[in-house]
């Protein structure tokens, strides 16, 4: 696999001449994303404080940026981009499915318990 | 010969046996599967954190107010130091992937150099983590814990740039020293089978009298109001709460009490960042072993630096986890 690196990121928007160059390019991208996150975290723009599907818009932005970072770490640093489709799906789909399931179950339950607390210990009186 | 091995008619096909359909070595594949299982462990922790946070969504500590320090500087700098730590870890990920790349080209000296930088990056990160823990444990302003286990903090309104802001006031700055405080019980001066931890520096009474003496100081509860800020009580209500409900003066955080808010927050902080820190620590140890193997020429003789690649996978994974811990502990 030594010479078979795919050297494009951002769907071919940025092409690199060598693998080393691509690594530095990805570093720049990750640093920019982190800087944006930190800036948002410190200044917390008022316009992003509105709620969207149960969470602040700002928090959704943080989560999406995090997933973008995770994508580039996995795809370029861990060379997932160069692995076969079968190995990639084996690892990524399994993890993504199970993690989504776990998060859904736990957050749903946490939210339910919170509403039981805040609504006087009775959530639904059938 | 045909009698010993069943002829399945799939010879030569991708999954017919005898070749590597995933074009990946056994070791690398197993590292990937370990990473999947470890990722699930960490998601379990973070999802449990989310569970507790959603459960106490109306009173969870605000991370910006908890992690505000950077070494050697005084003042309020939320997020800066963790951002630095994140950058250090990403940087060490970069040097690791450069080492892997140099390994592909069989450049021993380059691999050695980049592995060395990776180890240094890992050590800086673990050191920063230790400092972060130390600061968190030592505490900042202190607080009073109520009988019900809630945290009451102190502060006063100040006008800065024409804007009224709530500035925190430390317990040690308002508490009055009174005589006749209780001494710590130890085994030699009483019941030998009972022991007691260190007593808080101040009693609730001392803090209450201090609060009475400082007429501008108010109590802040953990309840988050409609503006997304912690509720500040009126002066009369502040005095009443401390007098009637105050039970224990808390400075810093441990697994039982936490001056920043609910003890659960501290528990999750210690557990998740601790587990991650332990991963970084073992990663550094493994990197050191591989570093010496590189120097000794083990992989040069083997004709392949794949071991560096496998360790690299683990190291990147540790970075990957930190990206999520950073988001869910410090940002969201």
């Amino acid at each position: 696999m030594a010479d078979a690196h795919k050297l494009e990121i951002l769907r071919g928007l940025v092409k690199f001449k060598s693998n080393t160059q691509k690594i530095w390019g990805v570093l720049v991208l990750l640093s920019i994303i982190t800087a944006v996150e930190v800036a948002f975290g410190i200044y917390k723009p008022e316009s992003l404080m509105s709620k969207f599907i149960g969470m602040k818009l700002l928090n959704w932005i943080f989560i999406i940026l995090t997933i973008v970072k995770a994508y580039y770490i996995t795809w370029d640093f861990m060379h997932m981009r160069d692995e076969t489709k079968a190995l990639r799906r084996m690892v990524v789909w399994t993890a993504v499915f199970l993690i989504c399931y776990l998060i859904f179950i736990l957050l749903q339950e946490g939210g339910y318990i919170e509403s039981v607390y805040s609504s006087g210990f009775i959530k639904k009186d059938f | 010969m045909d009698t010993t091995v069943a002829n399945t008619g799939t010879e030569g096909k991708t999954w017919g046996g005898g070749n590597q359909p995933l074009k990946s070595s056994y070791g690398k594949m197993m590292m990937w599967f370990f990473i999947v299982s470890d990722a699930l462990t960490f998601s379990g922790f973070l999802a449990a954190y989310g569970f507790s946070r959603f459960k106490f969504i109306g009173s969870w500590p605000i991370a910006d107010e908890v992690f505000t320090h950077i070494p050697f500087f005084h003042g309020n700098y939320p997020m800066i130091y963790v951002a630095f730590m994140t950058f250090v870890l990403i940087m060490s990920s970069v040097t690791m992937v450069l080492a892997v790349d140099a390994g592909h080209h069989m450049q021993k000296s380059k691999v050695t150099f980049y592995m060395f930088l990776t180890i240094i990056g890992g050590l800086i990160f673990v050191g920063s983590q230790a400092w972060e823990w130390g600061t968190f444990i030592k505490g900042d302003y202190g607080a009073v814990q109520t009988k019900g286990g809630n945290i009451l903090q102190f502060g006063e309104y100040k006008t800065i740039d024409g804007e009224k802001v709530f500035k925190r006031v430390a317990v040690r700055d308002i508490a009055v020293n009174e005589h006749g405080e209780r001494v710590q019980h130890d085994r030699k001066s009483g019941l030998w089978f009972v022991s007691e931890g260190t007593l808080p520096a101040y009693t609730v009474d001392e803090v209450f009298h201090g609060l009475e003496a400082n007429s501008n100081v108010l109590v802040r509860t953990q309840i988050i109001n409609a503006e997304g800020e912690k509720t500040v009580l009126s002066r009369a209500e502040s005095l009443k709460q401390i007098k009637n409900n105050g039970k224990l003066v808390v400075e810093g955080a441990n697994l039982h009490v936490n001056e920043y808010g609910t003890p659960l927050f501290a528990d999750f902080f210690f557990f998740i960042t601790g587990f991650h820190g332990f991963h970084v620590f073992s990663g550094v140890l493994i990197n050191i072993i591989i570093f010496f193997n590189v120097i000794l020429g083990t992989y040069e003789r083997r004709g392949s630096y794949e071991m560096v690649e496998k360790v690299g996978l683990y190291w990147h994974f540790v970075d990957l986890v930190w990206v999520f811990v950073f988001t869910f502990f410090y940002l969201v």
Side-chain angles (χ1 to χ4, degrees):
Chain A
M1 296 295 292
D3 303 313
H5 292 298
K6 291 177 185 148
L7 299 175
E8 303 178 343
I9 61 167
L10 300 168
R11 299 217 159 255
L13 190 72
V14 183
K15 284 185 188 135
F16 295 104
K17 288 194 188 69
S18 69
N19 194 38
T20 332
Q21 214 184 28
K22 184 180 84 169
I23 295 165
W24 290 110
V26 172
L27 170 70
V28 170
L29 186 72
L30 292 180
S31 307
I32 292 172
I33 296 176
T34 309
V36 169
E37 280 184 335
V38 171
F40 269 143
I42 291 173
Y43 295 109
K44 297 193 175 190
E46 203 55 48
S47 55
L48 297 174
M49 284 304 176
S50 53
K51 289 251 176 173
F52 180 74
I53 325 185
M55 242 191 328
K56 278 181 208 141
L57 206 54
L58 184 65
N59 287 353
W60 282 111
I61 293 175
F62 284 146
I63 289 169
I64 290 165
L65 288 179
T66 303
I67 291 169
V68 171
K69 273 206 282 190
Y71 171 85
Y72 282 103
I73 290 173
T74 319
W75 256 243
D76 290 309
F77 288 174
M78 299 168 99
H79 299 303
M80 208 37 146
R81 214 185 276 279
D82 306 325
E83 300 292 352
T84 58
K85 212 176 247 180
L87 176 61
R88 195 159 65 217
R89 289 178 177 173
M90 237 180 252
V91 170
V92 178
W93 288 8
T94 312
V96 167
F97 169 72
L98 289 174
I99 290 169
C100 289
Y101 176 63
L102 186 68
I103 289 173
F104 167 72
I105 290 270
L106 282 182
L107 294 192
Q108 187 67 24
E109 185 66 13
Y112 172 76
I113 295 177
E114 193 272 336
S115 63
V116 168
Y117 284 165
S118 58
S119 60
F121 296 94
I122 295 172
K123 163 84 169 161
K124 290 190 183 93
D125 201 351
F126 292 107
Chain B
M1 290 296 270
D2 279 350
T3 51
T4 51
V5 176
N7 208 333
T8 54
T10 55
E11 292 80 6
K13 293 199 165 137
T14 314
W15 293 91
N19 52 11
Q20 295 186 335
L22 297 174
K23 300 197 179 56
S24 174
S25 70
Y26 176 80
K28 242 171 91 177
M29 231 154 66
M30 289 308 122
M31 184 51 95
W32 268 116
F33 295 150
F34 164 71
I35 286 173
V36 171
S37 70
D38 216 19
L40 291 173
T41 309
F42 272 108
S43 350
F45 291 159
L46 284 174
Y49 173 81
F51 170 81
S52 297
R53 189 168 171 174
F54 270 47
K55 190 170 153 186
F56 298 111
I57 196 84
S59 58
W60 201 252
I62 298 169
D64 283 13
E65 296 173 359
V66 179
F67 307 102
T68 56
H69 297 279
I70 47 176
F72 314 118
F73 288 96
H74 287 286
N76 191 36
Y77 305 100
M79 221 86 83
I80 300 294
Y81 196 57
V82 233
F84 164 75
M85 283 164 69
T86 308
F87 186 72
V88 166
L89 209 54
I90 289 179
M91 205 55 224
S92 84
S93 236
V94 167
T95 55
M96 186 79 225
V97 76
L98 287 171
V100 172
D101 189 64
H104 282 155
H105 299 106
M106 302 297 284
Q107 294 160 321
K108 184 182 159 186
S109 58
K110 263 191 165 178
V111 179
T112 314
F113 176 64
Y114 285 131
M115 283 300 290
F116 178 72
L117 288 185
T118 309
I119 293 166
I120 298 298
L123 289 176
I124 295 176
F125 182 86
V126 177
S128 307
Q129 190 73 272
W131 182 86
E132 184 98 340
W133 270 47
T135 317
F136 185 71
I137 292 169
K138 193 166 142 274
D140 215 354
Y141 296 102
V144 169
Q145 193 179 36
T146 65
K147 289 171 188 156
N150 289 318
I151 288 294
L152 301 175
Q153 298 166 330
F154 301 93
E156 58 190 340
Y157 280 110
K158 278 198 176 143
T159 314
I160 296 171
D161 302 331
E163 218 177 327
K164 225 169 94 170
V165 274
F166 190 74
K167 280 276 173 202
R168 294 285 307 280
V169 170
V171 163
R172 62 183 167 276
D173 292 339
I174 57 166
V176 287
N177 244 323
E178 283 170 0
H179 292 290
E181 63 190 85
R182 200 163 77 73
V183 287
Q184 184 182 351
H185 167 76
D186 50 22
R187 287 168 194 272
K188 66 174 188 286
S189 60
L191 297 174
W192 57 269
F193 51 87
V194 178
S195 66
E196 180 177 49
T198 322
L199 290 175
Y202 305 101
T203 63
V204 176
D205 275 341
E206 286 172 332
V207 175
F208 177 67
H209 292 141
L211 185 64
E212 277 183 323
N214 292 277
S215 57
N216 52 343
V217 175
L218 299 170
V219 162
R220 191 174 79 152
T221 67
Q222 289 301 298
I223 315 284
I224 295 173
N225 60 20
E227 286 84 49
E229 285 161 3
K230 303 278 184 190
T231 313
V232 179
L233 300 178
S234 67
R235 176 75 186 158
E237 189 66 20
S238 299
L239 288 165
K240 198 179 120 199
Q241 279 292 334
I242 296 293
K243 190 172 173 58
N244 296 341
N245 297 328
K247 191 184 170 208
L248 181 72
V249 176
V250 180
E251 282 185 309
N254 54 39
L255 291 172
H256 306 290
V257 290
N258 171 12
E259 66 154 70
Y260 309 101
T262 166
L264 260 180
F265 179 82
D267 297 345
F268 275 113
F269 175 77
F270 290 130
F271 205 67
I272 295 177
T273 63
F275 200 65
H276 176 265
F278 181 66
H279 272 75
V280 181
F281 176 71
S282 14
V284 168
L285 286 189
I286 297 167
N287 278 348
I288 289 174
I289 294 170
I290 300 300
F291 174 69
F292 281 115
N293 275 343
V294 172
I295 291 183
L296 292 171
T298 311
Y299 308 124
E300 201 69 29
R301 281 195 297 280
R302 198 178 282 175
S304 154
Y305 278 89
E306 202 193 67
M307 208 59 183
V308 178
E309 206 172 329
K310 282 180 246 178
V311 174
L313 282 179
Y314 177 73
W315 190 251
H316 297 312
F317 171 69
V318 169
D319 181 23
L320 185 69
V321 169
W322 180 254
V323 165
F324 283 93
V325 173
F326 174 61
T327 301
F328 292 113
F329 245 96
Y330 297 93
L331 289 177
V332 169

